[in-house]
């Protein structure tokens, strides 16, 4: 056993990187007097859309309201069915319920933690083809199998939506996530791959959908100023957008650092009983989380703690087992088993090379 006393104190699971550049831009916005509804929001929307290689970006107050607006913009509402994953942050399924539709869960792939297309097909078949949308999550930054899901969605004339809240900077078959569906939603919560404090965005190539989403998030206002629907205040502020513009400039460096850290951990786990996360062929994982599976997770957590390494469980309950989902009588054996064994360790860009070595050592020295 190595003497762990010389190692750094706790390496936390997340560490938002905001500094002088963000401060300067916030200062400029405050001086301008345009704290909301100014040019920063439009500029951030366009810049983020270009990053995703799509035509439109509509910034929102957070990732949950982005999902809500995208679903409503696609016409999903009362009486509609949205097939989605039970293994995600609860906001994914909640957004479906916010628009009055019903989330129907399909089980996941145990290696990628994402929707398993075969289970999606089975779920839809068991409902005699009744599906209005498929909502895929790129969990932990690992791109979901979008080609297969697109085929299923097209076959059933259903919309396809990406919950890319954790996947800024990930790619699928060479294309950025966000441009792989009818509408994609990101979150800029402080722990995410980039942040605006609180914030989100809907990106899409569809001109009409973008116009509807712009209206939905601004109390139903259309470009002429008439309020044509009952909308919401889901707007982003110019202060948040200004932070986002700086963060977007740094996103590629952030993702490169996350990937470098992840690769060191994966190499260390080659001969371990701890199961490293996979990067499916043709994808670039953004490693929002570096999430391992371990039969004795509690023991691993305690071991990491002794080395000063923080860890977190995302998610200890699959969504259908949360009390708010009583009555959703889904049985999802893979999601249930995975939620008992996953553990995330720090992988964020702020880790020093010493931190990475310490985490690697802690993982290597774990014995069940
Ligand atoms: C997968 C997923 N979907 C949706 C959200 C909701 O985003 P927000 O917290 O910005 O509302 C989050 C993040 O928290 C998330 O991780």
């Amino acid at each position: 056993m190595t003497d762990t006393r010389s190692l750094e104190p706790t390496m936390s699971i997340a560490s938002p990187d905001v500094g002088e550049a963000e401060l300067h831009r916030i200062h400029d916005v405050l001086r301008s007097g345009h704290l909301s509804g100014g040019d920063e929001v439009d500029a951030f929307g366009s810049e983020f859309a270009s990053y995703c290689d799509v035509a439109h970006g509509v910034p929102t107050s957070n990732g949950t309201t982005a999902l809500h607006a995208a679903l409503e913009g696609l016409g999903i509402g009362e009486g509609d069915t949205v097939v989605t994953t039970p293994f995600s942050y609860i906001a994914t399924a909640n957004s479906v319920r916010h628009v009055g539709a019903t989330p129907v869960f399909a089980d996941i792939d145990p290696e990628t933690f994402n929707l398993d297309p075969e289970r999606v097909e089975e779920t839809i078949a068991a409902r005699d083809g009744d599906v209005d949308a498929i909502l895929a999550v790129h969990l932990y930054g690992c791109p979901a199998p979008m080609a297969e899901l697109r085929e299923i969605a097209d076959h059933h004339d259903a919309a396809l939506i990406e919950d890319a809240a954790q996947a800024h900077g990930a790619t699928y078959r060479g294309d950025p996530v966000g441009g792989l569906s009818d509408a994609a939603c990101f979150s800029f919560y402080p722990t995410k791959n980039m942040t605006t404090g609180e914030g989100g965005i809907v990106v899409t190539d569809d001109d009409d959908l973008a116009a509807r989403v712009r209206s939905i998030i601004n109390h139903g206002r259309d470009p002429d100023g008439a309020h044509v629907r009952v909308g919401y205040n889901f707007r982003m502020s110019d202060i948040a957008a200004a932070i986002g513009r700086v963060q977007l400039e740094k996103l590629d460096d952030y993702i490169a650092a996350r990937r470098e850290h992840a690769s060191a951990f994966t190499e260390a786990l080659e001969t371990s009983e701890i199961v490293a996360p996979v990067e499916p062929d043709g994808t670039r994982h953004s490693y929002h989380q570096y999430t391992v599976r371990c039969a004795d997770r509690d023991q691993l957590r305690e071991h990491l703690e002794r080395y000063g390494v923080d860890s977190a469980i995302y998610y200890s309950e699959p969504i259908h087992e949360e009390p708010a989902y009583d009555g959703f009588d889904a049985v999802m054996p893979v999601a249930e088993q995975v939620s008992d064994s996953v553990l995330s360790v720090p992988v964020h860009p702020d880790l020093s090379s010493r931190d990475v070595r310490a985490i690697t050592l802690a993982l290597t020295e774990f014995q069940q």
Side-chain angles (χ1 to χ4, degrees):
M1 253 322 252
T2 308
D3 178 3
T4 59
R5 281 168 303 181
S6 59
L7 299 176
E8 291 282 324
T10 302
M11 283 152 261
S12 61
I13 193 80
S15 175
D17 168 60
V18 278
E20 286 303 312
E22 285 85 351
L23 274 174
H24 279 121
R25 298 281 270 270
I26 292 170
H27 187 257
D28 291 346
V29 172
L30 294 179
R31 278 278 160 92
S32 78
H34 293 287
L35 306 193
S36 200
D39 295 339
E40 291 292 321
V41 173
D42 289 343
F44 178 51
S46 307
E47 287 161 11
F48 196 86
S50 309
Y51 185 86
C52 297
D53 214 7
V54 296
H56 307 281
V58 186
T60 57
S61 48
N62 56 61
T64 312
T65 53
L67 285 164
H68 182 146
L71 286 161
E72 194 167 318
L74 284 161
I76 305 297
E78 207 74 46
D80 289 335
T81 295
V82 178
V83 172
T84 192
T85 168
F87 194 60
S88 178
Y89 182 51
I90 198 162
T92 306
N94 279 355
S95 66
V96 175
R97 293 175 72 184
H98 291 156
V99 300
T102 304
V104 171
F105 299 110
D107 213 349
I108 58 166
D109 178 303
E111 295 207 318
T112 63
F113 310 113
N114 282 324
L115 272 177
D116 179 339
E118 276 185 39
R119 302 287 91 77
V120 172
E121 293 219 62
E122 274 170 23
T123 305
I124 296 172
R127 302 179 54 84
D128 294 329
D130 172 24
V131 58
D132 299 287
I134 297 173
L135 174 52
V137 180
H138 306 303
L139 199 74
Y140 308 141
C142 179
M146 296 307 290
E148 290 88 340
L149 295 175
R150 175 92 266 175
E151 217 170 282
I152 300 170
D154 286 352
H155 181 70
H156 294 282
D157 204 15
L160 180 61
I161 303 156
E162 288 161 85
D163 178 342
Q166 304 184 357
H168 331 58
T171 64
Y172 176 82
R173 300 188 179 173
D175 294 322
V177 304
L180 310 167
S181 61
D182 301 313
C185 303
F186 292 81
S187 163
F188 302 118
Y189 187 71
T191 57
K192 298 296 194 258
N193 295 348
M194 58 174 278
T195 187
T196 61
E198 291 277 4
I201 196 166
V202 180
V203 296
T204 181
D205 257 333
D206 180 331
D207 300 349
D208 294 336
L209 175 60
R212 280 195 300 279
V213 170
R214 278 187 212 288
S215 168
I216 289 166
I217 68 150
N218 193 17
H219 277 301
R221 192 180 157 102
D222 76 5
D224 301 330
H227 294 89
V228 296
R229 52 172 62 77
V230 179
Y232 310 85
N233 176 358
F234 289 167
R235 297 183 300 258
M236 177 180 275
S237 76
D238 276 56
I239 301 169
I243 300 172
R245 293 183 72 190
V246 180
Q247 290 269 304
L248 183 57
E249 285 166 14
K250 300 192 274 189
L251 180 59
D252 285 338
D253 288 344
Y254 289 154
I255 302 304
R258 285 178 179 277
R259 289 180 55 77
E260 199 182 312
H261 302 160
S263 136
F265 303 156
T266 298
E267 201 183 315
L269 290 176
E270 246 162 39
T271 56
S272 169
E273 286 169 43
I274 303 171
V275 183
V278 298
E279 181 174 53
D281 285 348
T283 69
R284 183 176 70 163
H285 200 311
S286 69
Y287 291 104
H288 167 59
Q289 298 295 347
Y290 188 87
T291 304
V292 301
R293 279 176 295 152
C294 180
D296 197 340
R297 176 174 65 194
D298 291 344
Q299 203 191 330
L300 176 58
R301 270 204 108 168
E302 280 165 28
H303 169 87
L304 292 172
E305 209 178 304
R306 282 198 295 278
Y307 281 71
V309 177
D310 198 9
S311 63
I313 301 171
Y314 304 114
Y315 300 92
S316 56
E317 300 290 343
I319 297 172
H320 64 285
E321 293 196 332
E322 290 282 6
Y325 283 76
D326 276 356
F328 284 73
D329 53 352
V331 179
M332 302 278 124
V334 180
E336 286 156 28
Q337 195 266 324
V338 159
S339 62
D340 285 338
S341 61
V342 281
L343 191 66
S344 302
V345 298
V347 69
H348 57 77
D350 204 29
L351 294 174
S352 66
S353 44
R354 190 157 183 257
D355 294 336
V356 173
R357 277 200 305 278
I359 297 168
T360 307
L361 181 71
L363 289 170
T364 318
E365 294 203 338
F366 178 70
Q367 276 164 1
Q368 295 193 58

